[in-house]
Amino acid sequence: FAKSIGLKNIATGAAIWDLSGGTGKDFILLKYYGANIFVFERNFIIGLLLVDAKRRFQIKYPELTELPIAAFDPSKQSTVNLSVPQVIYYDPMYDRPSQKALPRKDMQLFRKVVTEDTDIEETLSWALKTAQDRVVMKGPIRSKPYYPKLCGHSFKGKGTRYDVYFRS
């Protein structure tokens, strides 16, 4: 995960945007590694869970600075007064290929609340125009990148793949 974001190679203080905060695990991990992270969540219920995760994290790690969270709508993003991100991380709610085991309980709940992201391609296209350096998109290991010709690297885990799209 950290390799796909390029934490060793990005400039100190460079902005990283997480477009889908979800459970908060990814943004907390990035913040712990010292990233200047800004988190977005567009589902109201998941956003409330994310705010609670942020609160609990800051109680446990008070030495870390504020974790900003906002609602996300790519068509209105130009109205948000933020520095342009060097990296955009996008973890959409994607269809999983057939598998024998059920997902973790928290992901089963997320699927019921969020259902499926229907605008993955639109959001990825917007992210590719917005990020200064790269867009990292999380997906199932057996799927193919959305834009194979633009995908510079893929980092594979046991069940997840991180596709890295570099800004040309």
Side-chain angles (χ1 to χ4, degrees):
F1 173 62
K3 281 184 183 180
S4 67
I5 299 293
L7 287 178
K8 288 184 179 179
N9 301 326
I10 63 172
T12 304
I16 299 174
W17 288 4
D18 180 347
L19 298 188
S20 48
T23 63
K25 290 179 194 175
D26 293 337
F27 89 81
I28 287 172
L29 184 62
L30 287 169
K31 189 65 177 177
Y32 185 77
Y33 285 141
N36 179 20
I37 184 90
F38 196 94
V39 183
F40 296 91
E41 181 55 57
R42 59 183 160 183
N43 183 286
F44 180 74
I45 295 170
I46 302 302
L48 292 175
L49 294 171
L50 186 59
V51 168
D52 182 59
K54 168 188 160 180
R55 181 189 58 77
R56 287 182 283 119
F57 177 74
Q58 288 175 321
I59 289 169
K60 190 169 183 176
Y61 300 99
E63 69 277 8
L64 295 177
T65 59
E66 182 67 21
L67 298 168
I69 298 174
F72 175 70
D73 181 351
S75 64
K76 297 178 183 170
Q77 212 50 50
S78 61
T79 62
V80 176
N81 187 18
L82 295 172
S83 59
V84 177
Q86 187 170 354
V87 179
I88 292 179
Y89 173 65
Y90 182 39
D91 178 5
M93 185 65 69
Y94 47 80
D95 254 349
R96 298 194 68 84
S98 63
Q99 59 187 41
K100 295 176 185 175
L102 287 172
R104 296 182 327 255
K105 292 273 187 194
D106 61 342
M107 291 317 298
Q108 290 178 41
L109 173 65
F110 269 59
R111 288 192 187 285
K112 286 182 181 180
V113 172
V114 178
T115 62
E116 184 180 340
D117 283 331
T118 56
D119 60 349
I120 293 173
E121 207 164 314
E122 173 188 293
T123 303
L124 180 58
S125 178
W126 173 86
L128 287 167
K129 294 175 194 168
T130 305
Q132 289 179 340
D133 181 46
R134 68 180 71 192
V135 174
V136 178
M137 184 168 166
K138 183 178 179 179
I141 196 157
R142 292 188 183 110
S143 68
K144 294 182 181 179
Y146 269 81
Y147 300 116
K149 291 181 180 178
L150 298 177
C151 185
H153 295 297
S154 285
F155 295 91
K156 296 179 181 181
K158 288 183 179 179
T160 303
R161 189 186 71 246
Y162 297 95
D163 295 327
V164 182
Y165 299 91
F166 291 100
R167 182 84 186 250
S168 51

